[in-house]
Amino acid sequence: MIIAKTDRLVIRNWRETDRDLAYEINSDEAVMEFYPFRRNRAEADAFFDRVRSMIAETGLGLYVLELKESGEAIGYCGLMRTDHLEPFVPAGTIEIGWRLVARQWGKGLVTEAAGTLLAYGFGKLGLNQIVSFAVHNNIRSTAVMERIGMHRVEGSDFDHPSVPDTHPHLRRHVLYRLAAEEWRSAQ
Ligand SMILES: CC(C)(COP(=O)(O)OP(=O)(O)OC[C@H]1O[C@@H](n2cnc3c(N)ncnc32)[C@H](O)[C@@H]1OP(=O)(O)O)[C@@H](O)C(=O)NCCC(=O)NCCS
């Protein structure tokens, strides 16, 4: 299932051959710096199965980014329901998120994918708003949010309820948002 194409990327559902990618982006120390867990091979396989079925069944989820030039799968960027962050984010709000193999950082690839997925979300899916959130000092991620036109919702920082006591430095999160009308007027 292909969701969209950009100049350099195909945005699509996961294929059986993407299992190594799922493991890499769930276990690499640089990629996982702002997460309180690492997934082993079996856990990464379970993640792969979960995201692939979610996309097949709902059309939403963490889509694979594939480089057009080489066919290499390099990470994910996706749209999905946020149902676990009440009262900070209302259940059913659509979130945009991303994770890229470290060797592909610094090329604007996630900005390119995310910009296209905003158009997909506001256009084809008719969403009213899209949010994103990150650990407060995950500057690479908040920079993507800012590059695609999202803005920080002042007064909406929150402590992520799933972050365990072992990782207090990963608890504080910032929330970004873009409304459909803001996105349209910027086009
Ligand atoms: C967050 C993450 C996806 C950002 O990746 P990224 O490559 O920095 O993001 P972009 O695709 O927007 O690329 C921007 C960088 O490419 C550069 N760039 C080059 N060409 C560009 C272009 N055409 N357009 C935009 N930026 C471009 C920018 O200058 C910027 O570089 P800089 O960081 O040195 O300033 C990546 O760091 C990552 O996977 N982190 C780990 C997982 C994670 O934390 N996910 C978010 C959880 S909330």
Side-chain angles (χ1 to χ4, degrees):
M1 179 198 286
I2 291 179
I3 303 296
K5 291 183 179 179
T6 71
D7 286 349
R8 294 178 287 176
L9 297 165
V10 178
I11 304 175
R12 60 161 174 81
N13 199 354
W14 297 67
R15 293 189 189 130
E16 206 45 48
T17 46
D18 300 323
R19 284 190 185 270
D20 288 348
L21 169 70
Y23 178 58
E24 180 174 357
I25 60 174
N26 277 289
S27 59
D28 182 82
E29 283 302 321
V31 175
M32 296 301 284
E33 177 182 357
F34 293 98
Y35 295 86
F37 61 89
R38 308 288 180 268
R39 290 188 171 108
N40 62 28
R41 189 80 209 199
E43 291 163 337
D45 276 344
F47 165 90
F48 170 95
D49 292 336
R50 229 174 20 249
V51 293
R52 186 168 63 165
S53 333
M54 181 191 286
I55 295 168
E57 284 159 22
T58 69
L60 291 174
L62 305 171
Y63 314 120
V64 166
L65 304 182
E66 177 187 300
L67 286 177
K68 275 183 180 171
E69 198 175 72
S70 61
E72 186 192 355
I74 57 165
Y76 71 64
C77 185
L79 297 170
M80 57 188 290
R81 283 174 59 104
T82 310
D83 289 322
H84 59 291
L85 283 178
E86 293 268 18
F88 314 112
V89 181
T93 304
I94 301 295
E95 160 204 359
I96 188 165
W98 33 68
R99 204 182 290 177
L100 200 65
V101 293
R103 61 184 171 279
Q104 295 291 347
W105 293 2
K107 301 179 183 176
L109 290 163
V110 168
T111 292
E112 185 172 312
T116 293
L117 286 178
L118 290 182
Y120 179 76
F122 291 129
K124 185 157 186 201
L125 303 182
L127 302 174
N128 294 326
Q129 65 166 351
I130 295 175
V131 303
S132 195
F133 45 87
V135 175
H136 68 99
N137 59 341
N138 188 350
I139 306 299
R140 285 195 196 87
S141 190
T142 54
V144 177
M145 296 172 201
E146 285 165 16
R147 274 193 290 273
I148 61 174
M150 303 186 91
H151 55 82
R152 187 167 169 185
V153 185
E154 295 303 332
S156 289
D157 295 4
F158 64 96
D159 288 335
H160 199 297
S162 309
V163 175
D165 291 344
T166 46
H167 294 70
H169 60 293
L170 300 182
R171 195 168 287 145
R172 200 67 178 158
H173 277 60
V174 291
L175 179 67
Y176 278 67
R177 177 177 184 271
L178 185 63
E181 58 269 23
E182 293 170 320
W183 175 80
R184 273 194 199 95
S185 59
Q187 296 312 297

